[in-house]
Amino acid sequence: FPLLLFALFIIISIFPWRRRKNLWIILNFTIGAPFYGVTFRDGFIGDVLTSSVRPLQDLAFTAFYILSGLNGWWTQSYDIDEAVLPVEHSWFVRTIVLPACMISPLWWRFMQNLRQTFDNKKRWPYLGNATKYFVAAQVATVGVFNPALKTSYLWLAAAVLATLYQVWWDIFMDWELVQIMPSGKIQLRRARLYDYNTMYWAILFINLILRFGWTMTF
């Protein structure tokens, strides 16, 4: 069943081509940054990919697991229950493929922001946003290639600071949901869709938790 589900996912992603072509063109614009101008659509797709780091790794691992199983069946060297072992011990999968699935979306968004800096002739907020993805990529890279350092105070401090920067950017830049008044008072912005303040504060808290959870996937 998992093999059929995976095959169905691949088929639906490609066929019918005349309807799926635009999907791959849009992904090409995102992956090809900074060689293309960045629209809201491209930035949105980039954000979706950065939020899909774990599913991308799972898809990549599944693909290699299926290939390993087919290879074992074809060569009669091992059965399907042992197909995971070559993948788990594969230098290529552990060192190249899975880290690339994690770091590439962050790199694409970083390059998109550099392109926006160039096109708009403005450093802010694009370089600030680029810094967010650059720092996250460094934390992820160290965590992947030096797992022992993930228990060190230095890595933990870097992960916490990177996550808090992302949370700050969400609240004050992307959403512009919270304002700091001249008196120093922190309050929600006046123009809001819903009247219930509790809902917005709950969203801020949930975003904080999910951001730290996302960082821990590194």
Side-chain angles (χ1 to χ4, degrees):
F1 177 74
L3 177 59
L4 293 177
L5 183 62
F6 187 77
L8 180 62
F9 170 78
I10 297 299
I11 293 172
I12 292 177
S13 299
I14 300 175
F15 301 104
W17 177 248
R18 62 183 180 83
R19 297 176 59 183
R20 299 292 185 263
K21 180 174 65 175
N22 288 336
L23 168 66
W24 294 101
I25 290 175
I26 293 172
L27 286 175
N28 178 63
F29 286 148
T30 301
I31 296 173
F35 301 108
Y36 304 105
V38 181
T39 65
F40 175 80
R41 175 202 64 194
D42 301 323
F44 176 76
I45 295 298
D47 284 335
V48 170
L49 291 175
T50 58
S51 300
S52 305
V53 166
R54 178 56 65 182
L56 288 175
Q57 289 182 310
D58 292 341
L59 285 174
F61 190 90
T62 301
F64 280 92
Y65 172 75
I66 291 172
L67 292 175
S68 175
L70 292 175
N71 178 68
W73 169 77
W74 181 260
T75 61
Q76 297 296 309
S77 55
Y78 50 84
D79 57 33
I80 191 65
D81 294 331
E82 299 173 333
V84 70
L85 297 178
V87 181
E88 289 182 341
H89 294 90
S90 170
W91 177 89
F92 179 71
V93 173
R94 309 303 298 186
T95 309
I96 303 297
V97 176
L98 296 183
C101 291
M102 176 184 298
I103 298 169
S104 293
L106 299 171
W107 174 258
W108 296 331
R109 283 297 286 135
F110 172 73
M111 299 305 291
Q112 283 182 335
N113 279 279
L114 293 187
R115 177 58 189 251
Q116 288 178 299
T117 303
F118 176 80
D119 288 343
N120 294 283
K121 302 297 187 292
K122 292 172 57 179
R123 294 187 179 91
W124 188 261
Y126 306 113
L127 288 184
N129 203 21
T131 301
K132 179 181 71 173
Y133 295 105
F134 179 80
V135 172
Q138 306 316 303
V139 173
T141 302
V142 173
V144 168
F145 291 105
N146 297 279
L149 292 179
K150 295 177 70 173
T151 58
S152 69
Y153 291 111
L154 181 60
W155 189 89
L156 291 173
V160 169
L161 291 176
T163 304
L164 291 178
Y165 183 59
Q166 294 166 16
V167 172
W168 175 84
W169 194 272
D170 289 339
I171 296 172
F172 291 95
M173 300 300 298
D174 284 346
W175 303 345
E176 296 182 351
L177 186 57
V178 175
Q179 297 175 332
I180 300 179
M181 308 306 292
S183 62
K185 181 182 179 181
I186 299 177
Q187 65 180 32
L188 297 173
R189 70 182 184 189
R190 295 185 180 276
R192 301 192 302 273
L193 183 62
Y194 302 103
D195 296 329
Y196 303 102
N197 293 349
T198 305
M199 181 180 67
Y200 289 99
W201 290 116
I203 290 173
L204 297 182
F205 177 75
I206 293 172
N207 178 65
L208 175 67
I209 300 300
L210 293 179
R211 276 294 188 183
F212 274 100
W214 178 78
T215 302
M216 290 301 104
T217 61
F218 298 151

